[in-house]
């Protein structure tokens, strides 16, 4: 998608930008040359056997367990007292989920208010309500995950959510999540929970019996991040607990309005995040780059690019 296909909302210069910033990268075997210009911002954790980061990039090796969820929790626990003001959490490849530049992502991330979580175009927030377990067989588009050697979790998503995320016995109607676990958050938001909290979560989800390259808990954790950091926005407690507005102040689909991939879908492209409606309460400090509503060809072009990127990633990991 060319720059002419995007709408750009200008960052409000009165918001603070003199914040310490860090990009945490969960790397497997992906090429990382796309990070070279931002090497001073990067904290890379590598779990693969090829495409190890080269100079100017440096990295910390980790055992190949737990997917990106293990990596992110490891960083939070090990750096809890030295967290950057703003941390952007990424995987080793993001172009199958994000259609803006890393420079733009940095500028957007630096505008993240305390207590909120920033996500990025083009993928809309998605809905999760499979509290008894992810029905892999209903989604052919997830075959690459279900076909992998994996480690099943004894507890269901709702049992884990109640004990480690909400710490209540209530069952939500649904939660919203960012596909690919790509998000930015302030250290104040992370520190709403104690270091011991994250250590317990790390141990339960990814250590002991779940110390596996592809544990089922990795997919659960991808869906839990936003609800853990900001339950007021990303946990829908009942069918009546739904926003009157289509979008929230961060430009995301608002509470209860998250996208659900239809069962039987052959390709996991999600929904492309579009620009705000004129009446939506989107603040001017949020930079967002998206396809115009009227330009269906640009949207179609984006989906084709992402489908190719996803296929390429599958071939690389096979």
């Amino acid at each position: 998608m060319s720059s002419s296909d995007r709408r750009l909302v200008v960052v409000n210069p009165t918001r603070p930008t003199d914040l310490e910033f860090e990009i945490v990268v969960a790397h497997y075997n992906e090429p990382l040359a796309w990070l070279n210009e931002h090497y001073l911002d990067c904290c890379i954790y590598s779990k693969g056997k090829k495409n190890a980061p080269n100079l100017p990039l440096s990295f910390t090796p980790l055992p190949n367990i737990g997917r990106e969820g293990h990596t992110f929790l490891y960083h939070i626990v090990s750096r809890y007292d030295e967290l950057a003001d703003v941390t952007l959490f990424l995987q080793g490849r993001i172009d199958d989920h994000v259609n803006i530049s890393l420079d733009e992502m940095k500028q957007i991330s630096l505008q993240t208010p305390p207590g909120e979580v920033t996500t990025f175009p083009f993928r809309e927030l998605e809905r999760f309500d499979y509290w008894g377990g992810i029905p892999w067989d209903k989604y052919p588009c997830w075959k690459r995950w279900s076909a992998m050697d994996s480690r099943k979790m004894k507890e269901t998503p709702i049992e884990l959510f109640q004990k480690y995320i909400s710490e209540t016995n209530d069952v939500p109607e649904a939660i919203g999540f960012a596909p690919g676990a790509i998000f930015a958050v302030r250290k104040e938001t992370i520190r709403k929970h104690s270091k011991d909290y994250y250590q317990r979560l790390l141990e339960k989800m990814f250590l002991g019996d779940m110390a596996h390259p592809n544990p089922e808990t990795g997919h659960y954790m991808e869906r839990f991040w936003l609800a853990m950091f900001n339950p007021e926005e990303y946990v829908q407690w009942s069918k009546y607990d739904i926003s009157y507005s289509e979008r929230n102040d961060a430009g995301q689909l608002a509470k209860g309005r998250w996208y659900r991939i239809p069962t039987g879908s052959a390709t996991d492209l999600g929904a492309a995040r579009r620009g705000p409606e004129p009446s939506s309460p989107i603040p001017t400090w949020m930079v967002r780059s998206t396809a115009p509503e009227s330009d269906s060809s640009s949207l179609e072009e984006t989906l084709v690019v992402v489908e190719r990127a996803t296929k390429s990633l599958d071939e690389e990991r096979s």
Side-chain angles (χ1 to χ4, degrees), residues 190-223:
I190 296 175
R191 289 178 180 164
K192 286 168 62 176
H193 301 292
S194 69
K195 181 178 178 179
D196 287 343
Y197 170 90
Y198 292 109
Q199 181 66 45
R200 291 194 303 271
L201 194 57
L202 176 63
E203 292 173 358
K204 181 63 178 181
M205 293 289 202
F206 302 117
L207 301 182
D209 292 342
M210 300 311 293
H212 186 276
N214 186 36
E216 195 169 28
T217 47
H219 300 281
Y220 296 167
M221 196 65 222
E222 176 186 0
R223 290 152 174 80

Side-chain angles (χ1 to χ4, degrees), residues 128-145:
F128 178 72
D129 56 6
Y130 291 120
W131 296 116
I134 298 175
W136 300 104
D137 58 323
K138 294 184 178 180
Y139 291 89
C141 57
W142 294 343
K143 184 177 180 180
R144 66 183 187 274
W145 306 125

Side-chain angles (χ1 to χ4, degrees), residues 23 87 148:
I23 303 172
T87 301
M148 289 181 179

Side-chain angles (χ1 to χ4, degrees), residues 99-119:
N99 68 346
I100 59 177
S101 71
L102 195 54
D103 281 325
E104 289 174 296
M105 293 180 73
K106 178 176 180 178
Q107 292 306 312
I108 295 173
S109 298
L110 287 169
Q111 307 302 314
T112 305
E116 297 188 13
V117 186
T118 295
T119 60

